[in-house]
Amino acid sequence: HMHKGEIRVESEINKGSDFIVTLNVSEDAYNPDERSSENITTEEIQKYNQRIKETIELIPEKLTNKEKDPARESIMIVEDNKEMNDYLASIFSEKYDIIRAYNGAEACKKIAKQLPNLIISDLMMPVMDGLEFTERVKQDVTTSHIPVILLTAKTDENDHTEGYLRGADAYITKPFNAKNLELLVQNIQKSRKQSIEHCKQAEDEIFMKELMELIMANLTKEDFGVTEITAHLRISRSLLHMKLKSLTGCSITQFIRTIKMKEAKTHLLNGMNVSEASFAVGISDPNYFTKCFKKEFNITPTEFLKQLK
C-alpha cells in the first residue's frame, strides 16, 4: 500500500493459482514527502549489481512431499487381479515406491501425474489391455523412455512378438519366480542407467563447452551474468545452479568469478597493470576486483605484480 500497489490472486480448483503483485512506478502517484530525493548514478548501480552477484546464491527448488527421497525409484504395477497386484507390490515395495493401477486406462491417468522409472503390466486386462497400454506409453515422447515388462499366462510366441512390436522391453510368463522378476528389473534398470550415464557425460561436456565459450565471449561486459546465461542456454536459474554444482562444486557466480580472475592473472603476467586487467574482465570497481583476486589466489593483484619484478 505504501507503494500504491496491490496483491491479488486468481485461482481455479484443480488447475492452480496465480498471485499478481502490482507496484505503481509513476512519480505522479506519490506526494512530495513520499518521494526519495536521493540520486543514484549509473556507475553506482553497476557497482551494486556487481556486488549483488557475489551475495546471491541460487537455491534449488524444494522437494515436494512426494519426492522426499529423490534417489528412490518407482515402479508402476498394472494388474487387474487384486491378489496378483498385491503380490507384485509386496515384491518391490521395500526398494521402490509403488504406483498401482488395475487396467491400462487407469495407468495412463496416473502416469500423467507421476512418471514411474519402470512399468510391470499384465497382458490381459479389461478397459485397456497391456498391449494397447504399452503402445501408448512407447508412442508418447514423455513416457517412451520407460521400460515395460509384460506379464502373461500365454506361451504363444505370436503374442510375445506382438508385445515386442508394440514396444515391450521384456516378457515374463506366469507363474513366475519372484527372484527372477527382481533380477530382470535390476538388469533392465542397470542397463538403462549405463546408457543414461553415457549420454549424460556427452551432454555435460557439450554444456560446459558452451558455457565456457559464452562466458569468455562476454568477459569484458560488466553487466553480463546469470540472467544473460540462462536466457542464452534456455534453462532456469535453479537448473543452471544444480547442474553446475554437480559438475564443478561451485555456484554460477563463483564459476564466473574464477574464470575472470584466471584471465585477469594472465593479463597481469602479460604486462597489464591492475586497472587494465580489471577492465579487461569486466570489473570497473578496483576495490571489488582486488577483493575477488585475493579470494581466488590469496594475494592482492598489486602484491602479485610485485612478485613478478
Side-chain angles (χ1 to χ4, degrees):
H1 290 152
M2 289 174 65
H3 287 274
K4 316 298 181 186
E6 62 174 11
I7 302 174
R8 71 181 192 278
V9 60
E10 296 173 0
S11 186
E12 187 175 337
I13 294 175
N14 296 325
K15 187 175 181 181
S17 302
D18 291 331
F19 294 87
I20 301 98
V21 180
T22 307
L23 298 176
N24 195 324
V25 297
S26 172
E27 187 176 347
D28 297 335
Y30 299 90
N31 298 323
D33 60 338
E34 294 176 319
R35 302 173 193 167
S36 172
S37 59
E38 184 178 355
N39 292 320
I40 302 174
T41 65
T42 303
E43 183 183 359
E44 287 172 323
I45 292 174
Q46 288 177 339
K47 288 180 179 179
Y48 170 79
N49 288 336
Q50 190 71 50
R51 286 189 170 90
I52 206 70
K53 290 174 185 176
E54 184 74 16
T55 58
I56 292 178
E57 191 67 34
L58 302 174
I59 302 172
E61 291 152 2
K62 292 181 180 178
L63 297 173
T64 63
N65 290 333
K66 291 182 179 179
E67 300 170 322
K68 290 180 181 178
D69 184 359
R72 188 175 167 92
E73 295 183 337
S74 60
I75 290 179
M76 170 172 274
I77 294 170
V78 191
E79 166 65 67
D80 61 310
N81 182 282
K82 186 179 184 306
E83 287 75 17
M84 179 59 73
N85 198 308
D86 291 342
Y87 177 58
L88 288 166
S90 69
I91 294 173
F92 296 102
S93 59
E94 186 176 336
K95 295 181 180 178
Y96 299 88
D97 288 333
I98 305 300
I99 307 167
R100 298 170 69 170
Y102 293 89
N103 60 65
E106 182 186 356
C108 286
K109 291 179 181 178
K110 291 193 173 184
I111 281 181
K113 296 178 181 178
Q114 184 181 355
L115 288 180
N117 296 100
L118 182 138
I119 296 169
I120 300 174
S121 175
D122 190 23
L123 185 66
M124 303 295 292
M125 294 181 294
V127 187
M128 183 189 294
D129 64 22
L131 290 176
E132 185 181 350
F133 171 59
T134 299
E135 188 172 32
R136 290 202 183 189
V137 168
K138 294 299 182 178
Q139 287 183 349
D140 189 332
V141 68
T142 60
T143 57
S144 58
H145 64 283
I146 302 173
V148 178
I149 299 173
L150 286 176
L151 295 175
T152 178
K154 294 184 175 183
T155 56
D156 192 330
E157 288 296 323
N158 291 330
D159 291 317
H160 290 204
T161 301
E162 181 64 22
Y164 289 127
L165 288 172
R166 301 285 185 103
D169 294 88
Y171 257 102
I172 194 159
T173 306
K174 298 177 183 177
F176 57 85
N177 180 286
K179 187 63 179 176
N180 287 344
L181 179 58
E182 283 187 87
L183 291 172
L184 176 61
V185 168
Q186 288 176 19
N187 289 343
I188 289 176
Q189 291 296 78
K190 182 180 179 181
S191 176
R192 182 168 171 266
K193 284 176 182 176
Q194 288 173 341
S195 297
I196 290 172
E197 189 59 33
H198 178 74
C199 292
K200 183 178 179 294
Q201 287 176 358
E203 289 173 0
D204 288 343
E205 287 176 8
I206 294 171
F207 169 79
M208 289 303 297
K209 184 174 181 291
E210 187 176 359
L211 180 60
M212 282 291 297
E213 289 175 349
L214 180 62
I215 293 171
M216 292 301 295
N218 295 274
L219 201 65
T220 60
K221 297 178 182 177
E222 187 161 17
D223 58 351
F224 180 81
V226 178
T227 301
E228 290 71 29
I229 290 173
T230 54
H232 182 89
L233 298 180
R234 295 183 177 87
I235 60 176
S236 68
R237 294 170 70 95
S238 58
L239 179 58
L240 174 65
H241 172 71
M242 288 187 286
K243 194 170 185 65
L244 203 58
K245 271 284 188 182
S246 67
L247 293 174
T248 68
C250 63
S251 68
I252 182 62
T253 51
Q254 292 170 325
F255 187 69
I256 294 173
R257 186 185 67 219
T258 296
I259 293 173
K260 283 179 177 284
M261 292 306 103
K262 285 181 178 178
E263 283 299 304
K265 186 178 182 180
T266 301
H267 290 317
L268 292 173
L269 286 168
N270 290 336
M272 282 189 182
N273 61 37
V274 175
S275 296
E276 289 170 337
S278 178
F279 277 102
V281 294
I283 300 176
S284 61
D285 184 353
N287 293 327
Y288 179 70
F289 174 72
T290 297
K291 175 187 173 185
C292 291
F293 194 93
K294 186 170 184 179
K295 193 170 186 177
E296 190 68 31
F297 303 114
N298 202 30
I299 188 174
T300 68
T302 304
E303 291 168 342
F304 177 73
L305 283 177
K306 287 178 180 179
Q307 289 183 351
L308 300 178
K309 294 178 181 180

